[in-house]
Amino acid sequence: MTDTQLRQLIEGSKAILLENWKEGFTVPTKNLYPFQWNWDSGFVSLVHSYFFLFIAMLLLDTLFKGQWENGMVPHILFHSENETTYFPNYDFWNSNVNQGAPQKPKSSGITQPPVHGFILENLLEKFHDNEELLAFAKDIFPKIVHFHRFLYTYRDPNQEGLFFIYHPWESGRDNSPLWDESLDRIQIDRSKLPTYKRKDTSLADSSERPTDDQYDRYVYLIQFGKENQYDGKAIAKESPVLIQDSMMNAILIKSNQSLINLADRLVMDKAELEEWQQQSIKSYNDKLWSDELGMYACYDMRGGKQIPFKEIGGISPIYAGIPDKQKADLLAKYLQDLHDRGYYLCPSFDVDSPLFDSKRYWRGPVWPQMNWMIHMGLKEYGYEGLAKIVKSDLLELVRTLGFHEYFEPEKSLAKKLSRGYGGDSFSWTASSVLDLIHST
Ligand code: DGY
């Protein structure tokens, strides 16, 4: 890539972050997602730090203002109650059925990947001696631990060190085929389902979004959560969807490690974290590794079995230092093969599966923040060449197809397109690009 092209990517990222900033938080993209999203805020905070460190801190601070008493950090904070272009809005979630949910900001009743620990470590690596950041880190550290404690307390009924999700939106990989079998367990009785109107499909191409049938099931699960006051323990007993997600748990392990690494410097206790971490890593390798797939799998707790699909979550533990060298080699080989076959890295789902859909959200497309994590993980394990491909593939996709939400993985198809998929001017696309440019 030429210097001019790189400069254009940097300028483009900066412009998007300015455009999406809303006094205290950043929207993922203006029209489709007009509120504060949890894991988006983590990635975006990293990059705000390049321009204004105080904004990076403010963004995380604002997010944790929505933390529930039980420790959960919700997946969406509805800072404005007047915005009507998103479904399901705060009134539909009605999260105050849970006594510990703050009255303000209103929030959803589910969570998202716990990225904040590793984001905090990353910020402290970038601005090692900044006094304000150190003070901020001391303030937010116990809140992040409280979030992790929530996952281990309310979402791990068998005390395995692996927590469950009960709504696909918690995983961030909303419509991945991973969840199909669990969602099909739901008997939809339309007379009992509340009437609702999707808004996303009038803002983005419906062929790039989840289907109506999937939406009915998402809405059913919100109703189900609400009826159970969004209480993890009750949900564990009854939910038709109960899954130990490979990516969510890998991210938790990565963030645990970051907090452990920071604890001494911040004069914080790390004994609890170390205990969680030891058990989680062991269970992760014992329960989620699949010889058949040559990668990690999610575990369906209702069905009592692994979910046998090759997908991006099964590779993500490379970012958390979970696999040994032999397993890591298999993950790297999987990616190298895809590259050799003419795919941009990293497709979100198995390109050889009949369920692969190269443009439909999490059933195939390349997602920027996934490339960011996998690039960092590959580098850590010493797969330098592959790490460079993961980085340059994303930069090329964004340069040629714009700062979109997700991208076509088949190179031959992508070359014929004029844009990426989903929302445009996307915050975490800007942040992944900019941070990767800085990563050597
Ligand atoms: C959406 O609205 O599609 C989001 O992914 C849910 O968080």
Side-chain angles (χ1 to χ4, degrees):
M1 196 165 295
T2 66
D3 282 353
T4 316
Q5 288 169 338
L6 274 180
R7 238 191 341 270
Q8 279 165 351
L9 283 178
I10 293 172
E11 290 307 317
S13 302
K14 210 165 158 180
I16 286 168
L17 290 172
L18 282 177
E19 190 184 322
N20 290 348
W21 173 250
K22 294 241 182 185
E23 291 173 33
F25 68 102
T26 299
V27 294
T29 178
K30 269 206 194 121
N31 297 323
L32 197 53
Y33 308 127
F35 303 106
Q36 182 171 24
W37 257 256
N38 180 333
W39 71 320
D40 296 65
S41 299
F43 290 108
V44 166
S45 147
L46 253 193
V47 167
H48 269 299
S49 72
Y50 287 116
F51 311 115
F52 303 106
L53 182 56
F54 79 94
I55 288 195
M57 296 187 269
L58 184 58
L59 194 52
L60 292 176
D61 193 51
T62 316
L63 179 69
F64 276 80
K65 290 255 168 12
Q67 185 167 35
W68 290 16
E69 266 170 31
N70 63 12
M72 188 180 85
V73 183
H75 102 296
I76 305 176
L77 298 185
F78 300 97
H79 292 294
S80 150
E81 290 165 32
N82 305 322
E83 180 71 66
T84 55
T85 56
Y86 180 78
F87 173 83
N89 213 326
Y90 74 94
D91 48 348
F92 193 87
W93 285 98
N94 192 16
S95 58
N96 292 115
V97 293
N98 185 299
Q99 306 257 309
Q103 286 299 329
K104 257 189 188 307
K106 297 285 187 218
S107 67
S108 68
I110 57 173
T111 191
Q112 258 187 341
V115 297
H116 323 90
F118 72 70
I119 294 293
L120 186 66
E121 186 184 27
N122 214 303
L123 285 171
L124 276 161
E125 273 162 12
K126 284 185 167 58
F127 304 93
H128 189 261
D129 297 320
N130 186 290
E131 289 298 326
E132 274 172 64
L133 181 60
L134 266 176
F136 170 75
K138 285 187 185 172
D139 179 62
I140 202 164
F141 185 105
K143 297 177 189 169
I144 303 177
V145 175
H146 189 34
F147 180 28
H148 292 197
R149 195 178 296 117
F150 159 79
L151 298 170
Y152 286 112
T153 308
Y154 291 89
R155 297 295 190 90
D156 184 11
N158 306 327
Q159 296 293 288
E160 294 171 272
L162 298 174
F163 74 92
F164 72 77
I165 56 167
Y166 75 96
H167 196 301
W169 289 350
E170 298 199 295
S171 73
R173 311 199 293 305
D174 299 14
N175 70 337
S176 168
L178 287 167
W179 328 123
D180 290 359
E181 190 180 332
S182 296
L183 290 174
D184 284 347
R185 250 178 234 139
I186 298 172
Q187 300 297 323
I188 296 281
D189 177 350
R190 290 219 153 59
S191 64
K192 293 206 184 113
L193 205 66
T195 31
Y196 71 94
K197 191 169 167 6
R198 289 180 70 170
K199 304 219 169 162
D200 59 316
T201 38
S202 55
L203 298 166
D205 187 329
S206 59
S207 67
E208 296 163 18
R209 297 283 306 169
T211 62
D212 285 346
D213 185 59
Q214 280 157 347
Y215 250 76
D216 277 353
R217 287 154 210 278
Y218 301 153
V219 167
Y220 172 94
L221 288 171
I222 297 176
Q223 286 293 106
F224 168 79
K226 210 171 359 182
E227 281 158 17
N228 286 287
Q229 288 80 48
Y230 300 114
D231 170 43
K233 292 193 175 164
I235 286 166
K237 289 205 188 95
E238 303 289 339
S239 178
V241 178
L242 208 68
I243 294 169
Q244 289 161 322
D245 174 23
S246 53
M247 187 181 84
M248 291 283 272
N249 280 284
I251 286 179
L252 177 65
I253 288 171
K254 176 72 184 177
S255 280
N256 276 342
Q257 193 55 52
S258 292
L259 296 176
I260 292 168
N261 299 344
L262 293 174
D264 288 347
R265 177 147 192 245
L266 301 179
V267 204
M268 296 283 162
D269 185 38
K270 62 180 176 197
E272 188 182 25
L273 285 160
E274 281 175 335
E275 214 174 293
W276 290 334
Q277 185 70 337
Q278 213 183 357
Q279 194 199 11
S280 289
I281 295 178
K282 177 164 181 351
S283 295
Y284 196 102
N285 274 309
D286 290 351
K287 193 170 184 185
L288 304 188
W289 175 258
S290 161
D291 276 332
E292 200 183 312
L293 298 177
M295 67 173 63
Y296 293 89
C298 296
Y299 191 87
D300 172 3
M301 295 174 83
R302 275 288 166 261
K305 60 179 168 65
Q306 286 186 344
I307 304 176
F309 290 129
K310 294 183 186 174
E311 56 86 39
I312 195 79
I315 304 166
S316 65
I318 199 139
Y319 177 53
I322 295 171
D324 59 20
K325 175 81 174 86
Q326 204 184 352
K327 290 188 172 93
D329 277 349
L330 286 170
L331 302 180
K333 182 175 174 324
Y334 174 78
L335 291 176
Q336 186 66 49
D337 284 351
L338 283 170
H339 170 73
D340 295 343
R341 288 172 58 194
Y343 288 95
Y344 281 114
L345 298 181
C346 310
S348 48
F349 197 71
D350 181 1
V351 301
D352 296 316
S353 162
L355 300 172
F356 172 74
D357 181 340
S358 76
K359 63 198 285 206
R360 205 182 275 278
Y361 217 42
W362 284 94
R363 298 177 89 87
V366 171
W367 285 75
Q369 81 289 12
M370 296 310 304
N371 275 38
W372 183 88
M373 288 191 282
I374 287 170
H375 166 85
M376 298 297 170
L378 288 169
K379 254 190 4 182
E380 201 61 39
Y381 274 83
Y383 303 106
E384 291 290 340
L386 204 51
K388 279 201 181 103
I389 295 171
V390 171
K391 167 179 168 173
S392 62
D393 278 3
L394 183 68
L395 297 191
E396 186 176 319
L397 280 165
V398 176
R399 183 180 67 75
T400 52
L401 300 177
F403 283 87
H404 278 262
E405 186 178 4
Y406 43 100
F407 296 92
E408 173 58 52
E410 286 193 47
K411 283 188 183 163
S412 54
L413 276 180
K415 299 231 150 48
K416 296 187 197 133
L417 299 175
S418 57
R419 64 164 183 89
Y421 299 139
D424 63 4
S425 296
F426 217 85
S427 297
W428 71 19
T429 307
S431 79
S432 305
V433 161
L434 198 61
D435 203 59
L436 283 174
I437 288 175
H438 284 80
S439 158
T440 46

mmCIF file of all heavy atoms in Angstrom, residues 19 29 91 93 136 140 142 152 156 211 218 235 238 241 256 335 338 362 373 428:
data_model
loop_
_atom_site.group_PDB
_atom_site.id
_atom_site.type_symbol
_atom_site.label_atom_id
_atom_site.label_comp_id
_atom_site.label_asym_id
_atom_site.label_seq_id
_atom_site.Cartn_x
_atom_site.Cartn_y
_atom_site.Cartn_z
ATOM 1 N N GLU A 19 -17.210 11.894 13.481
ATOM 2 C CA GLU A 19 -18.610 11.889 13.043
ATOM 3 C C GLU A 19 -19.503 11.087 13.997
ATOM 4 O O GLU A 19 -20.645 11.450 14.251
ATOM 5 C CB GLU A 19 -18.615 11.223 11.660
ATOM 6 C CG GLU A 19 -19.878 11.294 10.876
ATOM 7 C CD GLU A 19 -19.699 10.471 9.577
ATOM 8 O OE1 GLU A 19 -18.597 10.493 8.964
ATOM 9 O OE2 GLU A 19 -20.681 9.802 9.194
ATOM 10 N N THR A 29 -22.444 3.087 14.295
ATOM 11 C CA THR A 29 -22.688 3.742 13.015
ATOM 12 C C THR A 29 -23.987 4.516 13.199
ATOM 13 O O THR A 29 -24.864 4.074 13.946
ATOM 14 C CB THR A 29 -22.803 2.739 11.848
ATOM 15 O OG1 THR A 29 -23.078 3.444 10.645
ATOM 16 C CG2 THR A 29 -23.898 1.706 12.061
ATOM 17 N N ASP A 91 -37.681 0.630 25.917
ATOM 18 C CA ASP A 91 -38.986 0.290 26.497
ATOM 19 C C ASP A 91 -39.339 -1.169 26.232
ATOM 20 O O ASP A 91 -40.018 -1.815 27.018
ATOM 21 C CB ASP A 91 -40.082 1.246 25.990
ATOM 22 C CG ASP A 91 -40.036 1.422 24.483
ATOM 23 O OD1 ASP A 91 -39.038 0.989 23.858
ATOM 24 O OD2 ASP A 91 -40.989 1.977 23.916
ATOM 25 N N TRP A 93 -37.058 -3.625 26.036
ATOM 26 C CA TRP A 93 -36.230 -4.418 26.951
ATOM 27 C C TRP A 93 -36.770 -4.339 28.384
ATOM 28 O O TRP A 93 -36.707 -5.301 29.131
ATOM 29 C CB TRP A 93 -34.781 -3.916 26.949
ATOM 30 C CG TRP A 93 -34.004 -4.289 25.731
ATOM 31 C CD1 TRP A 93 -33.770 -3.509 24.643
ATOM 32 C CD2 TRP A 93 -33.349 -5.538 25.468
ATOM 33 N NE1 TRP A 93 -33.002 -4.189 23.725
ATOM 34 C CE2 TRP A 93 -32.733 -5.440 24.213
ATOM 35 C CE3 TRP A 93 -33.228 -6.737 26.189
ATOM 36 C CZ2 TRP A 93 -32.005 -6.487 23.645
ATOM 37 C CZ3 TRP A 93 -32.504 -7.785 25.625
ATOM 38 C CH2 TRP A 93 -31.906 -7.650 24.365
ATOM 39 N N PHE A 136 -7.324 6.517 36.323
ATOM 40 C CA PHE A 136 -8.533 5.959 35.704
ATOM 41 C C PHE A 136 -8.519 4.428 35.802
ATOM 42 O O PHE A 136 -9.527 3.792 36.137
ATOM 43 C CB PHE A 136 -8.604 6.400 34.236
ATOM 44 C CG PHE A 136 -9.670 5.699 33.459
ATOM 45 C CD1 PHE A 136 -11.005 6.035 33.633
ATOM 46 C CD2 PHE A 136 -9.355 4.672 32.562
ATOM 47 C CE1 PHE A 136 -12.006 5.373 32.919
ATOM 48 C CE2 PHE A 136 -10.343 4.009 31.858
ATOM 49 C CZ PHE A 136 -11.669 4.361 32.032
ATOM 50 N N ILE A 140 -11.370 1.907 37.328
ATOM 51 C CA ILE A 140 -12.215 1.007 36.522
ATOM 52 C C ILE A 140 -11.859 -0.472 36.752
ATOM 53 O O ILE A 140 -12.699 -1.350 36.543
ATOM 54 C CB ILE A 140 -12.152 1.384 35.021
ATOM 55 C CG1 ILE A 140 -13.400 0.840 34.315
ATOM 56 C CG2 ILE A 140 -10.872 0.930 34.337
ATOM 57 C CD1 ILE A 140 -13.674 1.416 32.969
ATOM 58 N N PRO A 142 -11.644 -2.475 39.423
ATOM 59 C CA PRO A 142 -12.602 -3.290 40.205
ATOM 60 C C PRO A 142 -13.954 -3.453 39.514
ATOM 61 O O PRO A 142 -14.631 -4.458 39.718
ATOM 62 C CB PRO A 142 -12.782 -2.501 41.507
ATOM 63 C CG PRO A 142 -11.851 -1.353 41.465
ATOM 64 C CD PRO A 142 -11.237 -1.248 40.122
ATOM 65 N N TYR A 152 -18.893 -15.404 36.103
ATOM 66 C CA TYR A 152 -18.588 -16.646 36.822
ATOM 67 C C TYR A 152 -19.672 -17.022 37.835
ATOM 68 O O TYR A 152 -19.843 -18.188 38.163
ATOM 69 C CB TYR A 152 -17.237 -16.528 37.537
ATOM 70 C CG TYR A 152 -16.051 -16.608 36.590
ATOM 71 C CD1 TYR A 152 -15.230 -15.500 36.355
ATOM 72 C CD2 TYR A 152 -15.751 -17.794 35.921
ATOM 73 C CE1 TYR A 152 -14.149 -15.578 35.488
ATOM 74 C CE2 TYR A 152 -14.671 -17.877 35.046
ATOM 75 C CZ TYR A 152 -13.872 -16.767 34.833
ATOM 76 O OH TYR A 152 -12.807 -16.849 33.969
ATOM 77 N N ASP A 156 -22.439 -19.488 35.106
ATOM 78 C CA ASP A 156 -21.618 -20.706 35.094
ATOM 79 C C ASP A 156 -22.190 -21.677 36.121
ATOM 80 O O ASP A 156 -21.585 -21.945 37.164
ATOM 81 C CB ASP A 156 -20.160 -20.308 35.435
ATOM 82 C CG ASP A 156 -19.202 -21.486 35.343
ATOM 83 O OD1 ASP A 156 -19.599 -22.548 34.826
ATOM 84 O OD2 ASP A 156 -18.053 -21.343 35.809
ATOM 85 N N THR A 211 -32.574 -13.088 9.121
ATOM 86 C CA THR A 211 -33.896 -13.252 8.515
ATOM 87 C C THR A 211 -35.003 -12.908 9.527
ATOM 88 O O THR A 211 -34.760 -12.829 10.733
ATOM 89 C CB THR A 211 -34.105 -14.712 8.075
ATOM 90 O OG1 THR A 211 -34.030 -15.523 9.255
ATOM 91 C CG2 THR A 211 -33.056 -15.156 7.078
ATOM 92 N N TYR A 218 -35.113 -14.075 18.259
ATOM 93 C CA TYR A 218 -34.407 -13.102 19.104
ATOM 94 C C TYR A 218 -35.404 -12.413 20.047
ATOM 95 O O TYR A 218 -35.125 -12.208 21.235
ATOM 96 C CB TYR A 218 -33.724 -12.006 18.269
ATOM 97 C CG TYR A 218 -32.694 -12.474 17.263
ATOM 98 C CD1 TYR A 218 -32.430 -11.728 16.121
ATOM 99 C CD2 TYR A 218 -31.970 -13.648 17.448
ATOM 100 C CE1 TYR A 218 -31.480 -12.129 15.195
ATOM 101 C CE2 TYR A 218 -31.026 -14.063 16.520
ATOM 102 C CZ TYR A 218 -30.788 -13.302 15.393
ATOM 103 O OH TYR A 218 -29.864 -13.699 14.476
ATOM 104 N N ILE A 235 -32.497 -18.186 34.323
ATOM 105 C CA ILE A 235 -32.354 -18.439 32.888
ATOM 106 C C ILE A 235 -31.644 -19.774 32.642
ATOM 107 O O ILE A 235 -32.022 -20.554 31.767
ATOM 108 C CB ILE A 235 -31.606 -17.247 32.232
ATOM 109 C CG1 ILE A 235 -32.569 -16.062 32.146
ATOM 110 C CG2 ILE A 235 -31.057 -17.616 30.863
ATOM 111 C CD1 ILE A 235 -31.918 -14.744 31.836
ATOM 112 N N GLU A 238 -34.062 -22.689 32.578
ATOM 113 C CA GLU A 238 -35.157 -22.818 31.607
ATOM 114 C C GLU A 238 -34.811 -22.531 30.155
ATOM 115 O O GLU A 238 -35.549 -22.921 29.260
ATOM 116 C CB GLU A 238 -36.288 -21.825 31.988
ATOM 117 C CG GLU A 238 -36.849 -21.995 33.383
ATOM 118 C CD GLU A 238 -37.676 -23.261 33.506
ATOM 119 O OE1 GLU A 238 -38.134 -23.771 32.476
ATOM 120 O OE2 GLU A 238 -37.833 -23.739 34.652
ATOM 121 N N VAL A 241 -31.881 -21.825 24.778
ATOM 122 C CA VAL A 241 -30.548 -21.535 24.230
ATOM 123 C C VAL A 241 -29.607 -21.364 25.419
ATOM 124 O O VAL A 241 -29.787 -20.468 26.242
ATOM 125 C CB VAL A 241 -30.568 -20.236 23.395
ATOM 126 C CG1 VAL A 241 -29.179 -19.901 22.878
ATOM 127 C CG2 VAL A 241 -31.571 -20.333 22.252
ATOM 128 N N ASN A 256 -9.007 -11.542 31.632
ATOM 129 C CA ASN A 256 -8.511 -11.966 32.954
ATOM 130 C C ASN A 256 -7.003 -11.783 33.009
ATOM 131 O O ASN A 256 -6.453 -11.249 33.966
ATOM 132 C CB ASN A 256 -8.758 -13.473 33.174
ATOM 133 C CG ASN A 256 -10.152 -13.791 33.678
ATOM 134 O OD1 ASN A 256 -10.846 -12.925 34.185
ATOM 135 N ND2 ASN A 256 -10.559 -15.036 33.524
ATOM 136 N N LEU A 335 -6.076 -21.011 8.450
ATOM 137 C CA LEU A 335 -6.120 -19.668 7.850
ATOM 138 C C LEU A 335 -5.253 -19.599 6.591
ATOM 139 O O LEU A 335 -5.648 -19.015 5.580
ATOM 140 C CB LEU A 335 -5.649 -18.621 8.878
ATOM 141 C CG LEU A 335 -6.591 -18.397 10.061
ATOM 142 C CD1 LEU A 335 -5.970 -17.420 11.060
ATOM 143 C CD2 LEU A 335 -7.957 -17.878 9.600
ATOM 144 N N LEU A 338 -7.038 -21.036 3.634
ATOM 145 C CA LEU A 338 -8.071 -20.136 3.102
ATOM 146 C C LEU A 338 -7.435 -19.043 2.244
ATOM 147 O O LEU A 338 -7.938 -18.694 1.168
ATOM 148 C CB LEU A 338 -8.851 -19.483 4.242
ATOM 149 C CG LEU A 338 -9.888 -20.358 4.922
ATOM 150 C CD1 LEU A 338 -10.411 -19.670 6.179
ATOM 151 C CD2 LEU A 338 -11.053 -20.648 3.970
ATOM 152 N N TRP A 362 -23.078 -12.734 10.028
ATOM 153 C CA TRP A 362 -22.060 -13.610 10.626
ATOM 154 C C TRP A 362 -22.056 -15.008 10.018
ATOM 155 O O TRP A 362 -21.509 -15.928 10.600
ATOM 156 C CB TRP A 362 -22.260 -13.680 12.148
ATOM 157 C CG TRP A 362 -21.784 -12.434 12.817
ATOM 158 C CD1 TRP A 362 -22.526 -11.346 13.143
ATOM 159 C CD2 TRP A 362 -20.443 -12.113 13.219
ATOM 160 N NE1 TRP A 362 -21.745 -10.377 13.721
ATOM 161 C CE2 TRP A 362 -20.462 -10.819 13.785
ATOM 162 C CE3 TRP A 362 -19.209 -12.788 13.160
ATOM 163 C CZ2 TRP A 362 -19.315 -10.190 14.289
ATOM 164 C CZ3 TRP A 362 -18.084 -12.169 13.664
ATOM 165 C CH2 TRP A 362 -18.146 -10.886 14.217
ATOM 166 N N MET A 373 -8.105 -8.837 16.412
ATOM 167 C CA MET A 373 -7.738 -9.769 17.487
ATOM 168 C C MET A 373 -6.861 -10.910 16.943
ATOM 169 O O MET A 373 -5.874 -11.289 17.575
ATOM 170 C CB MET A 373 -8.996 -10.357 18.150
ATOM 171 C CG MET A 373 -9.746 -9.354 19.002
ATOM 172 S SD MET A 373 -11.026 -10.120 20.032
ATOM 173 C CE MET A 373 -12.312 -10.358 18.842
ATOM 174 N N TRP A 428 -15.896 0.672 14.578
ATOM 175 C CA TRP A 428 -14.819 -0.287 14.879
ATOM 176 C C TRP A 428 -14.034 -0.670 13.638
ATOM 177 O O TRP A 428 -12.926 -1.204 13.747
ATOM 178 C CB TRP A 428 -15.261 -1.456 15.716
ATOM 179 C CG TRP A 428 -16.147 -2.511 15.101
ATOM 180 C CD1 TRP A 428 -16.356 -2.777 13.782
ATOM 181 C CD2 TRP A 428 -16.895 -3.498 15.839
ATOM 182 N NE1 TRP A 428 -17.200 -3.837 13.639
ATOM 183 C CE2 TRP A 428 -17.541 -4.303 14.887
ATOM 184 C CE3 TRP A 428 -17.057 -3.777 17.190
ATOM 185 C CZ2 TRP A 428 -18.366 -5.366 15.258
ATOM 186 C CZ3 TRP A 428 -17.876 -4.838 17.552
ATOM 187 C CH2 TRP A 428 -18.524 -5.618 16.602
#
